[in-house]
Each structure stands twice: as C-alpha cells, then as structure tokens.
Amino acid sequence: RKVEEEEKSGETDARKRNPKAFSFQAVNKTARIVHRALDKQTRKHHVPEVDRTPVEPPPTLVAVVGPPRCGKTTLIRSLVKHYTKQNVNQVKGPLTVVTGKNRRCTFVECPNDISSMIDVAKVADLVLLMVDANFGFEMEIFEFLNIAQAHGLPRIMGVLTHLDMLKVGKAMNRTK
C-alpha cells in the first residue's frame, strides 16, 4: 500500500534508491558530531557559575561632614598631601588616593544640605564629623547624626578643629 502511495505521488525516497550514499562514511567523525551536539544541549541546561568578584576591592569611601567654615576642605587637602605628597588647589568631587599596596581611599566633601547628607549616610564607609571648637556642636551635626541613624549609621569619627583659637587653657580643656 505504501509503495502504491509513493508511486502515485511520483516521489521516490532517495534513501531507498541509494542506501550507501546515506550511510555513515566515518564512524569516528559521526560520533564526534553527535557528542558535540549533546555537549551543546547540556551546556544550555548547566550554565557555569563565574566568579565575578573584582580583583582588587573597591576603595573605602571617607566622607567629611560638618557645618560651613569648620575646615572640611582643609582636612581633605591635608590627607591628600599626606598620602600623595602633592598639593590640591580645589576639592571638587571625590578624590581617590592610594593609601597602601592593595588599599585605596576616596575622600568626599559633603555639602551642607539634607539630601547630600542622606546620600552620604547611605554610601560612606567612614564619616569624619567635623566639630568647630569655637562654636561647639552646631545644628548640622545633630541633623547628620539623626540622618545617619535612620540610614544604617556608618562608622563615625569626630574631629575637633580650631583648637588654636582658644586662648585659655581651662576653656580648651573644657571644650575637649
């Protein structure tokens, strides 16, 4: 019945006419092709896990926060000069400094507004909180402490500045 259907359609299968032409010519080559196809299929199912950790760790972000005119820029300039032996004229944006063989620090000066304080509190690894000895604790310091407490509280280190402006020894000891 199948032969009759094939003859009616006028098509004869080439494989049936010439079986040697469609047999395996080289067994090893065919085995290699089959194995390669199977390997491709299994790789699609088993995605290899790649270690994407960077070769060197990211730099430590040090933010300098404080009220205006308390010495934030001066502190950053002196830290950069300590590590690089070079002077910085203006502090604009983050400054990355190599502090050791495998260690880098990025210094950022925080402007005196709430939104930048929130960003710094979320991102910074270490915060240098500047306190002017002439004025004591100002409102900006308490604002930043409350913001930092709400956003994860990074490591905070207080830096007392303008101690040379205090003339009397008792006042300086009391301020400290």
Side-chain angles (χ1 to χ4, degrees):
R1 190 174 196 184
K2 288 182 183 179
V3 175
E4 291 174 4
E5 289 176 8
E6 287 178 7
E7 289 176 4
K8 287 180 186 175
S9 64
E11 298 176 9
T12 56
D13 192 17
R15 291 181 185 227
K16 290 183 180 177
R17 281 188 291 128
N18 191 359
K20 287 188 176 183
F22 291 96
S23 66
F24 296 118
Q25 298 294 325
V27 176
N28 291 336
K29 183 178 176 183
T30 307
R32 226 181 14 237
I33 292 170
V34 169
H35 284 296
R36 176 78 176 137
L38 290 173
D39 285 344
K40 284 182 180 179
Q41 284 179 344
T42 56
R43 281 193 192 129
K44 288 178 184 176
H45 296 298
H46 304 290
V47 178
E49 291 185 17
V50 179
D51 185 22
R52 296 191 190 278
T53 57
V55 177
E56 56 187 36
T60 305
L61 188 67
V62 179
V64 181
V65 179
R69 308 283 304 159
C70 70
K72 296 183 294 234
T73 307
T74 308
L75 178 69
I76 291 176
R77 288 173 63 193
S78 64
L79 286 171
V80 169
K81 186 174 182 178
H82 173 75
Y83 286 116
T84 63
K85 311 293 189 261
Q86 294 177 355
N87 289 331
V88 178
N89 294 333
Q90 292 180 337
V91 177
K92 288 188 176 179
L95 294 172
T96 302
V97 176
V98 177
T99 58
K101 286 185 178 179
N102 296 324
R103 189 174 204 77
R104 296 174 297 156
C105 281
T106 301
F107 297 109
V108 177
E109 183 177 348
C110 179
N112 201 17
D113 61 344
I114 301 268
S115 60
S116 60
M117 287 182 185
I118 292 171
D119 294 339
V120 164
K122 289 180 183 177
V123 176
D125 297 318
L126 173 68
V127 175
L128 298 177
L129 191 59
M130 305 292 287
V131 178
D132 193 347
N134 281 337
F135 298 108
F137 287 104
E138 295 181 44
M139 201 65 206
E140 291 86 358
I141 296 169
F142 292 114
E143 285 177 359
F144 180 76
L145 287 173
N146 286 333
I147 290 168
Q149 190 174 12
H151 292 286
L153 202 62
R155 293 181 182 149
I156 298 175
M157 184 179 293
V159 179
L160 200 58
T161 61
H162 296 139
L163 286 173
D164 56 340
M165 300 292 182
L166 299 174
K167 304 273 191 233
V168 182
K170 288 183 181 179
M172 184 167 59
N173 289 336
R174 189 179 66 237
T175 305
K176 283 183 181 179

